[in-house]
mmCIF file of all heavy atoms in Angstrom:
data_model
loop_
_atom_site.group_PDB
_atom_site.id
_atom_site.type_symbol
_atom_site.label_atom_id
_atom_site.label_comp_id
_atom_site.label_asym_id
_atom_site.label_seq_id
_atom_site.Cartn_x
_atom_site.Cartn_y
_atom_site.Cartn_z
ATOM 1 N N ALA A 65 2.562 -1.719 -18.642
ATOM 2 C CA ALA A 65 3.127 -1.813 -17.280
ATOM 3 C C ALA A 65 2.218 -1.077 -16.297
ATOM 4 O O ALA A 65 2.009 -1.524 -15.164
ATOM 5 C CB ALA A 65 4.527 -1.220 -17.255
ATOM 6 N N MET A 66 1.653 0.052 -16.749
ATOM 7 C CA MET A 66 0.752 0.818 -15.884
ATOM 8 C C MET A 66 -0.484 -0.018 -15.550
ATOM 9 O O MET A 66 -0.910 -0.101 -14.392
ATOM 10 C CB MET A 66 0.344 2.127 -16.580
ATOM 11 C CG MET A 66 -0.627 2.941 -15.769
ATOM 12 S SD MET A 66 -0.841 4.613 -16.396
ATOM 13 C CE MET A 66 -2.022 4.333 -17.680
ATOM 14 N N LEU A 67 -1.033 -0.657 -16.566
ATOM 15 C CA LEU A 67 -2.233 -1.467 -16.354
ATOM 16 C C LEU A 67 -1.924 -2.649 -15.436
ATOM 17 O O LEU A 67 -2.688 -2.938 -14.502
ATOM 18 C CB LEU A 67 -2.788 -1.960 -17.700
ATOM 19 C CG LEU A 67 -4.021 -2.844 -17.581
ATOM 20 C CD1 LEU A 67 -5.179 -2.089 -16.945
ATOM 21 C CD2 LEU A 67 -4.444 -3.368 -18.960
ATOM 22 N N ALA A 68 -0.804 -3.310 -15.688
ATOM 23 C CA ALA A 68 -0.444 -4.484 -14.878
ATOM 24 C C ALA A 68 -0.279 -4.070 -13.411
ATOM 25 O O ALA A 68 -0.741 -4.761 -12.496
ATOM 26 C CB ALA A 68 0.839 -5.116 -15.404
ATOM 27 N N ASP A 69 0.360 -2.928 -13.200
ATOM 28 C CA ASP A 69 0.556 -2.413 -11.850
ATOM 29 C C ASP A 69 -0.801 -2.151 -11.181
ATOM 30 O O ASP A 69 -1.048 -2.584 -10.053
ATOM 31 C CB ASP A 69 1.339 -1.091 -11.957
ATOM 32 C CG ASP A 69 2.268 -0.877 -10.782
ATOM 33 O OD1 ASP A 69 2.509 -1.854 -10.054
ATOM 34 O OD2 ASP A 69 2.754 0.257 -10.613
ATOM 35 N N ALA A 70 -1.669 -1.450 -11.921
ATOM 36 C CA ALA A 70 -2.982 -1.089 -11.364
ATOM 37 C C ALA A 70 -3.794 -2.343 -11.036
ATOM 38 O O ALA A 70 -4.449 -2.414 -9.990
ATOM 39 C CB ALA A 70 -3.746 -0.210 -12.355
ATOM 40 N N ARG A 71 -3.695 -3.337 -11.891
ATOM 41 C CA ARG A 71 -4.491 -4.553 -11.668
ATOM 42 C C ARG A 71 -4.006 -5.317 -10.444
ATOM 43 O O ARG A 71 -4.795 -5.795 -9.645
ATOM 44 C CB ARG A 71 -4.448 -5.438 -12.916
ATOM 45 C CG ARG A 71 -5.239 -4.812 -14.066
ATOM 46 C CD ARG A 71 -5.417 -5.767 -15.201
ATOM 47 N NE ARG A 71 -6.021 -7.003 -14.717
ATOM 48 C CZ ARG A 71 -6.123 -8.107 -15.434
ATOM 49 N NH1 ARG A 71 -5.678 -8.131 -16.664
ATOM 50 N NH2 ARG A 71 -6.672 -9.173 -14.918
ATOM 51 N N ARG A 72 -2.705 -5.406 -10.298
ATOM 52 C CA ARG A 72 -2.164 -6.104 -9.121
ATOM 53 C C ARG A 72 -2.453 -5.327 -7.843
ATOM 54 O O ARG A 72 -2.787 -5.889 -6.801
ATOM 55 C CB ARG A 72 -0.638 -6.251 -9.262
ATOM 56 C CG ARG A 72 -0.214 -7.636 -9.631
ATOM 57 C CD ARG A 72 1.266 -7.812 -9.370
ATOM 58 N NE ARG A 72 1.517 -8.541 -8.138
ATOM 59 C CZ ARG A 72 2.697 -8.607 -7.555
ATOM 60 N NH1 ARG A 72 3.726 -7.969 -8.063
ATOM 61 N NH2 ARG A 72 2.861 -9.304 -6.463
ATOM 62 N N LEU A 73 -2.331 -4.002 -7.944
ATOM 63 C CA LEU A 73 -2.591 -3.173 -6.763
ATOM 64 C C LEU A 73 -4.059 -3.271 -6.350
ATOM 65 O O LEU A 73 -4.379 -3.302 -5.161
ATOM 66 C CB LEU A 73 -2.207 -1.720 -7.051
ATOM 67 C CG LEU A 73 -0.698 -1.452 -7.153
ATOM 68 C CD1 LEU A 73 -0.420 -0.125 -7.855
ATOM 69 C CD2 LEU A 73 -0.049 -1.456 -5.771
ATOM 70 N N ALA A 74 -4.958 -3.332 -7.339
ATOM 71 C CA ALA A 74 -6.393 -3.428 -7.040
ATOM 72 C C ALA A 74 -6.708 -4.748 -6.343
ATOM 73 O O ALA A 74 -7.471 -4.792 -5.371
ATOM 74 C CB ALA A 74 -7.209 -3.293 -8.325
ATOM 75 N N ARG A 75 -6.097 -5.839 -6.818
ATOM 76 C CA ARG A 75 -6.296 -7.142 -6.168
ATOM 77 C C ARG A 75 -5.767 -7.091 -4.730
ATOM 78 O O ARG A 75 -6.415 -7.556 -3.796
ATOM 79 C CB ARG A 75 -5.572 -8.230 -6.986
ATOM 80 C CG ARG A 75 -5.544 -9.624 -6.377
ATOM 81 C CD ARG A 75 -6.920 -10.236 -6.152
ATOM 82 N NE ARG A 75 -7.817 -10.147 -7.271
ATOM 83 C CZ ARG A 75 -7.903 -11.037 -8.276
ATOM 84 N NH1 ARG A 75 -7.134 -12.100 -8.283
ATOM 85 N NH2 ARG A 75 -8.781 -10.864 -9.259
ATOM 86 N N GLY A 76 -4.605 -6.463 -4.588
ATOM 87 C CA GLY A 76 -4.017 -6.320 -3.246
ATOM 88 C C GLY A 76 -4.955 -5.553 -2.317
ATOM 89 O O GLY A 76 -5.062 -5.870 -1.128
ATOM 90 N N MET A 77 -5.667 -4.549 -2.863
ATOM 91 C CA MET A 77 -6.586 -3.770 -2.028
ATOM 92 C C MET A 77 -7.776 -4.612 -1.590
ATOM 93 O O MET A 77 -8.257 -4.470 -0.462
ATOM 94 C CB MET A 77 -7.070 -2.512 -2.771
ATOM 95 C CG MET A 77 -6.035 -1.422 -2.926
ATOM 96 S SD MET A 77 -5.145 -0.954 -1.421
ATOM 97 C CE MET A 77 -6.476 -0.462 -0.343
ATOM 98 N N SER A 78 -8.257 -5.488 -2.471
ATOM 99 C CA SER A 78 -9.372 -6.377 -2.059
ATOM 100 C C SER A 78 -8.931 -7.215 -0.875
ATOM 101 O O SER A 78 -9.661 -7.375 0.106
ATOM 102 C CB SER A 78 -9.769 -7.321 -3.207
ATOM 103 O OG SER A 78 -10.274 -6.601 -4.291
ATOM 104 N N TYR A 79 -7.720 -7.761 -0.967
ATOM 105 C CA TYR A 79 -7.212 -8.627 0.099
ATOM 106 C C TYR A 79 -6.938 -7.802 1.361
ATOM 107 O O TYR A 79 -7.224 -8.221 2.466
ATOM 108 C CB TYR A 79 -5.923 -9.333 -0.354
ATOM 109 C CG TYR A 79 -6.119 -10.418 -1.393
ATOM 110 C CD1 TYR A 79 -7.374 -10.699 -1.929
ATOM 111 C CD2 TYR A 79 -5.051 -11.185 -1.836
ATOM 112 C CE1 TYR A 79 -7.548 -11.698 -2.876
ATOM 113 C CE2 TYR A 79 -5.218 -12.193 -2.781
ATOM 114 C CZ TYR A 79 -6.466 -12.445 -3.299
ATOM 115 O OH TYR A 79 -6.638 -13.431 -4.226
ATOM 116 N N LYS A 80 -6.357 -6.613 1.159
ATOM 117 C CA LYS A 80 -6.019 -5.775 2.312
ATOM 118 C C LYS A 80 -7.279 -5.380 3.087
ATOM 119 O O LYS A 80 -7.345 -5.513 4.304
ATOM 120 C CB LYS A 80 -5.296 -4.508 1.835
ATOM 121 C CG LYS A 80 -4.752 -3.677 2.975
ATOM 122 C CD LYS A 80 -4.188 -2.334 2.559
ATOM 123 C CE LYS A 80 -3.154 -2.402 1.471
ATOM 124 N NZ LYS A 80 -2.315 -1.179 1.421
#
Side-chain angles (χ1 to χ4, degrees):
M66 178 168 82
L67 178 62
D69 213 15
R71 290 190 54 190
R72 256 196 102 193
L73 289 162
R75 174 61 48 87
M77 288 311 302
S78 296
Y79 288 3
K80 188 187 307 200

